[in-house]
Amino acid sequence: MIGTIVNTAAIVIGSAVGSVAKRGLGEKYQNVLFLAMGLAAVGLGVNSIVKGMSESVYPVLFIASLAIGGVLGTWWDLTGRFDRFIAKRSKSEEAGATLAQGLSTAIMLFCFGALSILGPINSALYQDETFLLTNATLDLVTSMVLASSFGFGIALAAIVLFVWQGSIYLLAAQLAPFLTNELMCEITIIGGFLILASGLGILKVKEIPVMNLLPSLLVPPLWFLALQAIALF
């Protein structure tokens, strides 16, 4: 599990460095970094979507996933709960809203990529930390940029990542046979849309309740489980 620990530490260190750098930057430079992060999120989201769609064997599954997940997330009010949780821990309501937006973007970027999902499995089954150490390097840079825009609060995403990767690590033997290329492809598409939505929010193009869409990631696994169950009969 050393890779997950390194990945978690990389986010905390990157957030610390980025938040310190933020203090020495003027407002116009902070705004530029803010826009840069938004553009980067949009680009990464579009790349994941295009790459995933070219390999998908169920080209309408992502539509059903986003629709079903969005309805469930809205019903559970995930965005509202998340925003209120962050607001209680922030100095002001405005700061809380800004941090919540940055944290939601960070969680999407850190947790829902192929490296962050397959890495803990490789670590648990084969003692191979390559994916996780590569992911840690990427997250170090990403957290620095995010923290330079949103502050040290981005480090809270490290807790989410540790729980996420730690859970996958502990369940690796059960999850490994199930995480097929087809399933990872669908997760990549939906993750791409969530990252794209976060980027659009940062750029103030369109405010999208990204956290309400998180349950969309549960639909593809349930779909593939249903297909396996049908095949048994």
Side-chain angles (χ1 to χ4, degrees):
M1 201 169 171
I2 186 66
T4 292
I5 295 173
V6 171
N7 201 164
T8 303
I11 293 174
V12 175
I13 293 170
S15 298
V17 172
S19 62
V20 170
K22 178 181 180 180
R23 297 171 192 168
L25 293 174
E27 183 177 354
K28 65 178 181 179
Y29 296 108
Q30 291 183 30
N31 289 337
V32 168
L33 287 173
F34 196 75
L35 292 174
M37 193 63 248
L39 288 172
V42 168
L44 290 169
V46 170
N47 180 66
S48 295
I49 293 167
V50 172
K51 180 180 178 181
M53 283 186 175
S54 66
E55 301 173 0
S56 176
V57 294
Y58 301 103
V60 297
L61 180 57
F62 77 91
I63 300 175
S65 299
L66 289 169
I68 295 170
V71 169
L72 290 175
T74 301
W75 181 32
W76 295 330
D77 189 26
L78 296 181
T79 296
R81 293 172 187 271
F82 182 73
D83 289 349
R84 288 191 291 273
F85 174 80
I86 299 301
K88 288 179 180 179
R89 288 153 179 80
S90 300
K91 296 179 181 179
S92 67
E93 185 175 341
E94 182 179 355
T98 301
L99 178 57
Q101 184 181 53
L103 263 179
S104 65
T105 302
I107 291 169
M108 304 304 161
L109 290 169
F110 295 155
C111 295
F112 301 120
L115 293 176
S116 192
I117 296 173
L118 296 178
I121 293 178
N122 274 18
S123 175
L125 299 183
Y126 312 113
Q127 291 73 54
D128 181 1
E129 309 290 347
T130 304
F131 282 177
L132 286 175
L133 294 179
T134 301
N135 201 52
T137 304
L138 295 172
D139 289 350
L140 173 67
V141 177
T142 304
S143 59
M144 288 173 60
V145 177
L146 281 166
S148 66
S149 298
F150 298 100
F152 183 69
I154 292 299
L156 290 173
I159 300 173
V160 179
L161 176 120
F162 184 82
V163 173
W164 169 253
Q165 290 188 356
S167 300
I168 295 175
Y169 181 91
L170 295 174
L171 297 171
Q174 290 74 33
L175 291 175
F178 183 60
L179 291 177
T180 62
N181 290 335
E182 290 79 8
L183 174 56
M184 289 303 299
C185 177
E186 301 304 326
I187 291 176
T188 295
I189 295 173
I190 296 169
F193 274 106
L194 297 182
I195 294 171
L196 172 60
S198 296
L200 292 176
I202 292 174
L203 294 173
K204 302 189 182 304
V205 175
K206 174 67 177 179
E207 293 294 332
I208 300 172
V210 179
M211 300 303 290
N212 281 353
L213 295 172
L214 268 183
S216 303
L217 292 162
L218 298 176
V219 178
L222 293 175
W223 169 256
F224 281 88
L225 278 175
L227 290 179
Q228 289 184 4
I230 293 171
L232 292 176
F233 295 100

